[in-house]
Amino acid sequence: MPRHTSATPDRATQRFGESADVLVLGMGAAGCAAAIAAHDAGARVLLLEKTDPAHAGGNTRVSGGAWFHHENPMRAAAYLRALCCDRPLPEPIVQVWAEHTQMVSAWIESLGGRVAPNGDYRAEYPELDGSDCYGGYRCVDGVLGDRRLFELLLAAVSDRGIEVVYSSPGRELITDPSSGAVVGVVTDSGERIGARRGVVLATGGFEGDPEMLSHYLGLTDVPLWGSAAATGDGHRMAQRVGADFWHMDNMMAVNGIRPPGDRHGFFAMFLHAKGFLWVDESGHRFVDECVPTGHGQARINGRYELHPHRPMHVIFDERTRRAGPISPSAAIMPVGWKVLMDGYQWSGNNQAEVDNGWIHRADTPAELATLLGVPPAALEATVERYNSACAAGFDDAWGRAPGTMVALHEPPFYAYTAGPLLAWTNGGPRRDEHARVLDPSGSVIPGLYAAGTVSSTYSWAKDGGFHIADAIVFGRIAGRHAAHRR
């Protein structure tokens, strides 16, 4: 009996409507990198994209498009091991990641991109071994976001004549009934497309699928930062042919605001004022709101925890409202679905968002609590205790740094509920250093590859620019390996 079979193995004996050497599903950074690498290795490539051209590219299209720079694979490997905490990765994956992330800038330049640094970004976990490798962000033209990376990759795909079929999500993998090898894909429309050498899953995460979010992350009704097309399609297809999963409880989330009835939300960064609190459903603070945070984790209670990882109410006062926009505009940070795809410009003093009902307003903390559905006396006491701590210059409750403590004195008071805002998930089909998908016994599922956030390398903590670097590295590896597979 074959080890890996689809639900309908006899499909493999039927005729394909079309075939390619390498079939790539998804055209974010990982999918484009895989398609380019496979083509340049001599394979005929077909790239299937779930959405239409106006929405294609997944999270890459609305991301910062930055990858981290380093020049020392040995120290980068040490940093990755440390970031894994108590969830170690196989050493071959660590070594390949460390060696190949050093090559990302050169590869972007080979595609015609001008690579330059952006900003003064430092390691987010400077206390960890290997963090000294971190050399900041590199971007196309040195510009963060604004679709620069996606447009470069799209041009490279087009210049090579790689065929792209839009509005064509994959539904099922086709396997050979005798070997269990993946030999093609059934699309959502029922079209059967063959893959002579391999299928690369670059379908993104599962942040857009409420059932998977509830099951793996314990989140319900959370707003999204990026593409809502990331609904775990690749996860389900891989699982049906016997794939093992890894990192399914890992994610990156941020403090964010969602307009009522919208699936997407905005970063809430409070760049202009620090007069704000986070409270839970009881009306009490539950964490240092300004703890130094990496891309999804922070050191809390002596260990690295997901942060933020739960719904919360964000409270601030009139002085903070007037200080400046709590969500940055495209001029400051051209990233995120609401900013780049919807083109929304946040008001300079947050008044438009208050008027639109996105942010609650009340004359007292007790009245604000009633609007939020939390105990009024508890929220009043929380604000009073925090203000006393600000006056004393010491947060005896959660240890917030004195320089971030600004009292909430000036009415009216404001609040919104953060979901939190989910940027992306990390987990998916387990893979090896060649990006080949593995089953629970650790055996390779022949002909199946995965790259990008459908199967992120990062088992726990991750730094800025890591996800784009990872997508490009293992996308290239997947495409190249598949192209040479016989």
Side-chain angles (χ1 to χ4, degrees), residues 266-303:
F266 299 86
F267 276 144
M269 300 188 70
F270 289 90
L271 296 175
H272 304 279
K274 296 300 181 185
F276 64 90
L277 295 177
W278 294 1
V279 302
D280 60 19
E281 64 277 4
S282 72
H284 295 103
R285 294 175 65 203
F286 59 93
V287 73
D288 170 4
E289 299 87 350
C290 295
V291 62
T293 305
H295 270 61
Q297 278 83 2
R299 189 169 179 83
I300 300 171
N301 300 322
R303 55 174 309 196

Side-chain angles (χ1 to χ4, degrees), residues 393-409:
F394 176 68
D395 180 15
D396 60 343
W398 296 102
R400 182 163 159 175
T404 71
M405 296 179 65
V406 178
L408 278 62
H409 281 311

Side-chain angles (χ1 to χ4, degrees), residues 22-23 34 173 182 197-202 238 429-432 434-438 444-451 454-455 474-475 477-486:
V22 177
L23 185 58
L173 296 170
V182 173
R197 300 180 191 173
V199 172
V200 180
L201 297 175
R430 184 183 301 273
R431 56 170 169 78
D432 67 7
H434 303 295
R436 299 177 297 184
V437 175
L438 307 176
V444 169
I445 299 177
L448 186 59
Y449 299 82
V454 71
S455 179
F474 284 99
I477 287 171
R480 194 163 52 239
H481 195 282
H484 291 299
R485 180 176 170 269
R486 293 294 187 270

Side-chain angles (χ1 to χ4, degrees), residues 28-120:
C32 288
I36 293 166
H39 173 275
D40 290 358
R44 179 180 179 271
V45 181
L46 182 61
L47 204 165
L48 301 184
E49 164 60 28
K50 180 177 183 177
T51 68
D52 60 35
H55 299 87
N59 285 350
T60 298
R61 186 176 189 132
V62 297
S63 76
W67 56 96
F68 85 107
H69 173 74
H70 76 87
E71 297 177 350
N72 189 330
M74 184 176 70
R75 297 303 293 156
Y79 194 29
L80 179 57
R81 291 188 200 100
L83 288 165
C84 291
C85 299
D86 57 355
R87 302 170 175 222
L89 290 167
E91 191 58 24
I93 290 177
V94 172
Q95 293 297 328
V96 166
W97 177 90
E99 292 165 9
H100 286 257
T101 49
Q102 186 186 17
M103 306 174 190
V104 172
S105 291
W107 184 70
I108 293 293
E109 289 173 341
S110 77
L111 301 181
R114 186 179 74 85
V115 174
N118 175 271
D120 185 25

